[in-house]
Amino acid sequence: MTLLHGFQLEREESVPEIGCLARLYRHERTGAELLSLIGEDENKVFGVSFRTPPADSNGIAHILEHSVLCGSRKYPVKAPFLEMLKGSLKTFLNAMTYPDKTVYPVGSVNLQDFYNLVDVYLDAVFHPRITPDILKQEGWHYELESADAPLIYKGVVFNEMKGSYSSPDDRVSRLSQQSVFPDTIYGIDSGGDPKDIPSLTYETFKSFHERYYHPSNAKFVFYGNDDPERRLEILDGVLSEFSRIEVDSKIGLQPRFNAPRQLQHTLPAGAQEAGEKQARVTLNWMLDEVDDVELNLSLAILNHILVGTHAAPLRKALIDSRLGDDVTGTGLNTGLRQMRFGAGLKGIDEGDSEKVEALVLSTLERLAEDGLDPLTVEASINTIEFRLRENNTGSFPRGISIMLRSLNAWNYDRDPLSPLAWEAPLQMLKTRLASGERVFEDLIRRYLIDNVHRTRVLFTPDPEQSGREAADERAKLDAARAAMSDADVEAVIEETRALKRMQETPDSAEALSRLPMLKLKDLDRKTALIPIDIAERSGARVLTHDLATNGVVYADAGLDLRRLPPDLLPYIGIFRRALLETGAGDLDFVQLSQRIGRVTGGLSAQDFTSTVIGENRGVAWLILRIKTMPDKAAESFAILADVLLSARLGNHERIAQIVNEERAGLESRLVPGGSSIASTRLRASLEEGSWVDEQIGGVSYLNFLRQLAASIKEDGGAALTATLERIRGLLVNRNAMVFNLTADADGLTRVEPDLAGLLARLPSAAPAAYPDWLIPGLPRFEGLTMPAKVNYVAKGESLPKLGYKPGGAAMVASNWLRGGWLWDKVRVQGGAYGAFSSLDLRSGVMTFASYRDPNLMETVAVYDGAGGFLRGVAGNAVDLERAIIGTIGQLDTYRLPDAKGLVSMLRYLAGDSDERQQTIRDEVLNASPADIRGFADALDAVAAHGRTVVLGSEQAIKAANAGLEDRFTLTKVL
């Protein structure tokens, strides 16, 4: 047996679907497995995965995922993960806990940076510094400041999961999964239930790492254009000190039910208005374990057929029933050993759960018996095939996406390459369908209709639940405090102080110097340019980008929202969806969806807002994005013209559904997206672009949707239709639009006549004049209340208003804050899950925000101390260099060709230029201590004059108000 750096090659084959040569190795000494994927992608990826089945819901796997990144044998610093974030060109650096595995992936385009990240992560997972204090910091601990202070729980994961349990959507997903897997690890919460996390002991925590974080339980992946042999050498250098052990980490199978089951749970909710429906219901199926590539692919396509678009038959039947406002818990979960399929509705009357179940089952029976619409099947197959061939993962590295797909089989001891080689199974499926076989109808009957391993879970609103759970936590803490002797109390006080001393003690320069870091000389001093050609065609502005797109043409059509008077802006969210989801011309909603799916790679819409460079005004655009192949460009552009010109804006029934879906969706995003909601609200009074964001996606939009839903009930939607038609008349005008094409030179040439045909169909007129947008004032201290156990705290101000014009050096300082002061004070010491600083160089607005934060005014005090922190560290040359490198990494965000074309267009719309991008880069690279101190002075002004917005519980905000001179104005959001 020939070994190469301790590895035995077990298999080698080409996987053209991902453009890689795959080699599967096993490490002889430890039994560790390696999937080495050799390709041309410069965005290199490494990852290691461990099967980590938890025994209960104490969050042990999740807490360990956090903790192993808090220092290691080779790198004895408090947070090497954070230090690498500060000074790396990484394209990805994080870790993820799943119900049955924990994954540690990294990515970088820079080869030396990549090797640095691999080295740090390997030492972290195998030799972590998981002390009792690390468990206290990342998991949980009792905190007691003095003998007469209240005993509380603190811990990063503890507060993260309190935030998760405040989200109704998270609870619905979690409990729906647990309902069909009551006897396996999928029936518990690997993330951790806040009421169970305090049961985790250090001994259990330490032994979990020793049991599962061993090479014998490890699966490694390398991907990209790095040296394939060097991969083996690196791994063997780490693994060779271990010996093979037996690790019992297999994931058990759930025994099948003999009959369907019904369960009921409550969800935290705000006070219920008269007639308001807040209940939810999900139908959930467990599928058998599937070890067949074609069947897996068929089930994925079936999922898209049934619920993958707004016009999909099962999804549409649920919405059309008017039993609820929006779908919930819907779709196929493929990341488990036994897959789960769900379908449900939110915003129902709790007495209608059986009606929803009957509707789902009857719809499935009808589809299986009468057959699926062949055009729907064709559209779904084309959509899935386009996605597979394009392999467009956006900013997420392709290699990590491939790794996760592979683990869907590999984690259960199946072939890791099978999920990647989809070409032959797809052709076999097409052959079966062409022969007339009822493939998808048979799958519906086998896996859903005849499958009795099913649950119906009803979720009812409980306005008292949040208060009751808080009281239960307080009672547990009071009981624990009462059971303590005076000596115990002093011990907890001292442990609290000792933990804070550890957190506040900086790492030594010697320890920090061990971390492998890039140097400024390793950075490219020139901004990478994106090719752009700007022309006028038939009165329209047309931008083109000659980039290698693997034959795909990406086309964007921009509608200038600046042409709208301010009272029309809140309707844009409805208008955006109405263009694509109401039908067009002779085609109804379903037929249009089928046409889009059969012809294109997708048609979507998104918003863009910004401040114009050098001007005190905002821009706002609605951008329709379509993907196509050159030979289908003519019909694809015809679809684009049809939705712009003849979308059925008078489809009152569908538009009423869209309004309800938008409202329900935004309410569901309040908790998981709390930082964004609070930050947008904060900036809304500081600059026009964010004011528009607030109008079309923030708290103002939510209030607007609630009023709009009421008005539709009164007039049936006639007034709304007239408003939407008015918006179309103002926006759909090629003289006021911009068009953006990204493709290679041949693709651009081939679609020129098709673009001309699109432009010829669009109206041409003198654009409407820009109306005045007068931003209304908002309270300087604003509290947005909802039933939540954590807060989202934002503070900020316009720096130009304070007399400071930020540039590239200010970006460096903001980056330094994010990875230093805010991390240490808000996350590590404060126990919040995250804290951010954001500087928009176009508007000059500086924003601080926290995520899932147990504190409120304590966090504001941290923000106010940011200037002092920067002045104190400005002379630290090593940290300044790291902050510069990390900032360059942000400027050099890795983008696929379609994203490059879009970014180039957005820069153009904001008045940005290549010259300005280079100026910013130069300012970043040349940032000095004096620059950092200048920014610190500006932050002192933010502390004194900035605006503060908190999204959180009414009790927490009222408690904060009791000690404030300037009090928060309270507004109920949920």
Side-chain angles (χ1 to χ4, degrees):
M1 180 174 64
T2 302
L3 297 179
L4 182 60
H5 299 294
F7 282 89
Q8 172 66 40
L9 178 63
E10 297 194 332
R11 183 176 166 196
E12 177 178 290
E13 66 180 69
S14 175
V15 187
E17 290 90 340
I18 59 170
C20 288
L21 174 67
R23 291 175 179 162
L24 189 61
Y25 293 93
R26 187 176 297 275
H27 192 248
E28 183 190 37
R29 182 175 175 83
T30 64
E33 296 176 87
L34 165 65
L35 178 58
S36 183
L37 299 169
I38 305 162
E40 296 303 316
D41 195 340
E42 64 173 347
N43 195 3
K44 292 164 279 289
V45 161
F46 163 79
V48 56
S49 173
F50 303 95
R51 281 200 299 228
T52 50
D56 52 38
S57 295
N58 62 13
I60 189 168
H62 187 189
I63 295 168
L64 190 56
E65 174 233 303
H66 281 238
S67 300
V68 301
L69 300 175
C70 292
S72 64
R73 181 179 70 182
K74 190 174 179 181
Y75 304 112
V77 299
K78 290 189 294 184
F81 165 75
L82 174 64
E83 297 300 331
M84 299 304 289
L85 273 175
K86 291 178 185 177
S88 169
L89 300 179
K90 51 81 185 172
T91 55
F92 190 90
L93 180 63
N94 213 328
M96 297 92 87
T97 301
Y98 293 88
D100 54 19
K101 61 182 176 287
T102 309
V103 185
Y104 296 87
V106 295
S108 182
V109 172
N110 182 284
L111 182 62
Q112 186 56 56
D113 188 45
F114 177 63
Y115 286 149
N116 291 346
L117 295 170
V118 172
D119 185 49
V120 170
Y121 261 47
L122 283 172
D123 201 61
V125 297
F126 290 120
H127 305 290
R129 185 178 61 98
I130 46 175
T131 65
D133 279 345
I134 296 300
L135 172 59
K136 292 173 186 176
Q137 172 181 289
E138 298 299 321
W140 79 279
H141 66 276
Y142 288 127
E143 183 158 298
L144 191 61
E145 298 285 354
S146 63
D148 57 354
L151 186 70
I152 62 173
Y153 292 126
K154 274 285 185 74
V156 173
V157 170
F158 178 78
N159 284 309
E160 176 189 351
M161 296 312 296
K162 284 187 76 171
S164 176
Y165 273 67
S166 296
S167 166
D169 278 2
D170 283 2
R171 288 210 189 201
V172 167
S173 176
R174 185 180 300 113
L175 292 168
S176 295
Q177 173 179 297
Q178 292 171 357
S179 73
V180 290
F181 296 107
D183 307 309
T184 76
I185 61 168
Y186 302 140
I188 58 180
D189 187 358
S190 63
D193 187 329
K195 71 177 185 296
D196 295 329
I197 288 174
S199 70
L200 177 60
T201 66
Y202 178 70
E203 291 72 25
T204 304
F205 175 67
K206 188 78 162 56
S207 66
F208 192 88
H209 178 269
E210 293 168 353
R211 182 181 310 119
Y212 295 119
Y213 280 61
H214 190 279
S216 300
N217 189 44
K219 292 174 172 59
F220 298 94
V221 171
F222 272 97
Y223 165 91
N225 65 356
D226 54 303
D227 181 355
E229 185 172 338
R230 178 73 176 130
R231 300 170 174 180
L232 308 181
E233 185 181 3
I234 289 170
L235 287 182
D236 186 51
V238 173
L239 302 181
S240 58
E241 68 175 279
F242 294 89
S243 297
R244 188 190 300 251
I245 65 171
E246 291 299 321
V247 182
D248 182 11
S249 62
K250 288 187 179 295
I251 311 303
L253 291 171
Q254 168 66 43
R256 297 196 62 81
F257 294 170
N258 295 321
R261 300 179 182 181
Q262 291 78 42
L263 298 90
Q264 185 167 345
H265 298 281
T266 58
L267 295 175
Q272 206 164 345
E273 303 291 338
E276 185 180 10
K277 300 177 182 179
Q278 293 186 9
R280 307 177 183 214
V281 66
T282 61
L283 276 292
N284 312 280
W285 286 262
M286 184 190 79
L287 279 59
D288 294 321
E289 183 176 23
V290 176
D291 187 13
D292 178 275
V293 186
E294 185 183 342
L295 179 55
N296 262 308
L297 180 60
S298 299
L299 288 169
I301 294 172
L302 176 62
N303 180 63
H304 190 271
I305 290 171
L306 292 177
V307 296
T309 70
H310 288 281
L314 181 55
R315 182 186 183 107
K316 187 172 184 296
L318 286 165
I319 296 299
D320 286 351
S321 71
R322 300 186 182 181
L323 292 170
D325 295 330
D326 198 3
V327 297
T328 187
T330 296
L332 185 68
N333 184 339
T334 61
L336 310 174
R337 184 175 180 187
Q338 293 158 289
M339 290 187 282
R340 174 174 67 91
F341 181 82
L345 272 177
K346 65 175 68 171
I348 70 164
D349 186 288
E350 59 186 82
D352 285 342
S353 64
E354 292 184 18
K355 293 181 182 178
V356 175
E357 179 178 30
L359 171 66
V360 170
L361 295 177
S362 65
T363 300
L364 293 172
E365 179 64 44
R366 174 177 56 79
L367 294 173
E369 183 65 27
D370 299 343
L372 293 161
D373 187 331
L375 295 179
T376 295
V377 173
E378 181 186 348
S380 290
I381 290 176
N382 181 70
T383 298
I384 299 299
E385 181 175 1
F386 196 102
R387 290 176 185 172
L388 289 169
R389 295 194 186 284
E390 183 190 27
N391 196 18
N392 190 331
T393 56
S395 61
F396 193 72
R398 281 174 167 160
I400 299 178
S401 174
I402 289 168
M403 175 186 183
L404 296 177
R405 283 162 55 193
S406 178
L407 283 169
N408 283 342
W410 201 11
N411 198 54
Y412 314 113
D413 301 316
R414 304 199 298 261
D415 179 8
L417 298 183
S418 63
L420 310 179
W422 49 264
E423 186 74 66
L426 179 62
Q427 297 309 317
M428 291 172 62
L429 174 62
K430 288 182 175 180
T431 299
R432 292 170 61 198
L433 290 168
S435 72
E437 185 176 346
R438 292 166 52 88
V439 176
F440 297 113
E441 291 84 355
D442 292 345
L443 290 178
I444 292 172
R445 187 162 298 283
R446 174 183 172 185
Y447 285 101
L448 299 176
I449 296 172
D450 294 340
N451 181 2
V452 297
H453 194 110
R454 185 180 82 239
T455 63
R456 183 184 76 226
V457 187
L458 173 64
F459 302 88
T460 56
D462 184 352
E464 309 299 324
Q465 184 164 338
S466 289
R468 188 171 60 251
E469 289 175 348
D472 290 344
E473 181 181 305
R474 185 69 261 161
K476 286 177 64 176
L477 286 163
D478 289 345
R481 175 67 172 79
M484 293 178 185
S485 65
D486 290 346
D488 292 333
V489 170
E490 284 304 314
V492 173
I493 293 172
E494 177 51 35
E495 287 176 4
T496 300
R497 292 171 179 165
L499 179 60
K500 290 188 176 181
R501 283 196 298 270
M502 183 273 288
Q503 293 169 336
E504 292 171 355
T505 302
D507 293 310
S508 69
E510 190 278 330
L512 286 170
S513 68
R514 296 188 191 183
L515 285 166
M517 286 291 181
L518 295 175
K519 301 296 181 184
L520 289 181
K521 63 181 177 59
D522 298 321
L523 306 182
D524 192 338
R525 302 196 70 88
K526 295 295 183 183
T527 296
L529 303 181
I530 302 172
I532 182 172
D533 182 73
I534 304 170
E536 182 179 309
R537 311 264 178 90
S538 303
R541 286 177 290 173
V542 178
L543 316 180
T544 55
H545 312 278
D546 181 358
L547 294 166
T549 58
N550 199 28
V552 181
V553 176
Y554 299 95
D556 310 305
L559 306 174
D560 187 358
L561 302 183
R562 197 63 185 76
R563 306 287 175 183
L564 299 179
D567 63 298
L568 294 184
L569 288 173
Y571 292 90
I572 289 303
I574 308 302
F575 179 73
R576 181 202 314 117
R577 289 188 56 182
L579 288 177
L580 306 182
E581 298 177 27
T582 58
D586 295 332
L587 301 181
D588 63 23
F589 171 32
V590 174
Q591 291 168 330
L592 176 62
S593 179
Q594 291 171 338
R595 185 183 176 201
I596 291 170
R598 287 164 45 227
V599 174
T600 79
L603 174 58
S604 60
Q606 66 184 63
D607 307 313
F608 168 67
T609 62
S610 177
T611 297
V612 179
I613 303 298
E615 302 180 32
N616 188 28
R617 68 177 182 90
V619 289
W621 291 79
L622 172 60
I623 301 169
L624 274 64
R625 310 204 69 206
I626 197 164
K627 306 175 184 179
T628 187
M629 302 304 291
D631 60 343
K632 294 186 176 180
E635 188 172 357
S636 296
F637 289 175
I639 292 173
L640 190 55
D642 288 345
V643 299
L644 288 169
L645 297 171
S646 60
R648 296 181 175 182
L649 304 182
N651 185 342
H652 294 162
E653 180 179 8
R654 178 57 192 147
I655 290 179
Q657 292 171 350
I658 290 173
V659 171
N660 287 331
E661 289 171 6
E662 285 282 293
R663 176 189 55 77
L666 186 49
E667 288 175 345
S668 295
R669 292 194 298 274
L670 287 175
V671 173
S675 294
S676 175
I677 296 289
S679 297
T680 299
R681 183 74 172 185
L682 169 73
R683 295 193 305 267
S685 63
L686 303 179
E687 54 103 8
E688 278 189 345
S690 292
W691 173 71
V692 176
D693 288 337
E694 167 71 8
Q695 297 298 302
I696 64 179
V699 173
S700 297
Y701 182 49
L702 178 57
N703 292 332
F704 166 79
L705 289 170
R706 289 166 173 162
Q707 297 168 4
L708 186 60
S711 70
I712 289 174
K713 290 180 180 179
E714 294 179 5
D715 72 357
L720 176 55
T721 293
T723 300
L724 295 178
E725 289 290 3
R726 182 183 171 205
I727 291 172
R728 173 154 56 188
L730 289 169
L731 297 183
V732 181
N733 172 8
R734 70 172 186 253
N735 291 20
M737 296 173 65
V738 64
F739 297 85
N740 190 59
L741 298 176
T742 305
D744 58 29
D746 179 64
L748 292 173
T749 299
R750 292 177 62 184
V751 303
E752 259 190 49
D754 306 317
L755 176 64
L758 168 62
L759 296 176
R761 289 188 58 189
L762 298 178
S764 173
Y770 287 138
D772 291 331
W773 284 356
L774 299 177
I775 302 176
L778 291 169
R780 185 178 166 205
F781 299 92
E782 190 170 14
L784 309 173
T785 67
M786 63 179 180
K789 301 176 182 178
V790 289
N791 304 304
Y792 304 86
V793 184
K795 183 169 183 175
E797 187 52 271
S798 167
L799 298 183
K801 190 176 84 172
L802 300 173
Y804 177 86
K805 183 179 179 182
M811 287 185 66
V812 175
S814 177
N815 187 48
W816 201 338
L817 283 174
R818 186 166 48 251
W821 178 250
L822 296 177
W823 178 280
D824 289 339
K825 296 297 181 181
V826 180
R827 187 187 189 279
V828 174
Q829 296 171 32
Y833 183 50
F836 321 98
S837 57
S838 175
L839 175 61
D840 180 355
L841 287 189
R842 291 175 183 163
S843 67
V845 171
M846 176 71 188
T847 311
F848 297 102
S850 65
Y851 186 71
R852 292 182 177 174
D853 191 346
N855 306 308
L856 200 161
M857 294 311 299
E858 298 91 337
T859 297
V860 175
V862 172
Y863 299 159
D864 291 348
F869 164 77
L870 286 176
R871 271 187 294 273
V873 300
N876 187 320
V878 173
D879 282 354
L880 176 57
E881 182 174 18
R882 286 178 177 166
I884 290 171
I885 293 169
T887 305
I888 290 295
Q890 294 169 15
L891 293 178
D892 292 347
T893 299
Y894 182 79
R895 296 183 178 95
L896 295 174
D898 66 306
K900 290 180 180 178
L902 177 63
V903 164
S904 180
M905 178 182 73
L906 300 184
R907 288 175 180 169
Y908 167 80
L909 295 176
D912 212 337
S913 66
D914 292 340
E915 292 75 19
R916 179 176 176 275
Q917 291 294 313
Q918 184 62 52
T919 296
I920 292 172
R921 190 180 194 88
D922 292 340
E923 292 171 344
V924 168
L925 290 167
N926 297 315
S928 69
D931 294 326
I932 304 303
R933 286 189 284 267
F935 185 69
D937 293 342
L939 292 185
D940 289 346
V942 174
H945 306 290
R947 183 163 181 264
T948 304
V949 174
V950 176
L951 176 65
S953 72
E954 182 177 357
Q955 296 90 332
I957 299 173
K958 284 183 174 179
N961 271 345
L964 297 176
E965 182 177 341
D966 294 314
R967 299 192 169 192
F968 288 95
T969 300
L970 269 63
T971 302
K972 179 184 174 184
V973 177
L974 193 63

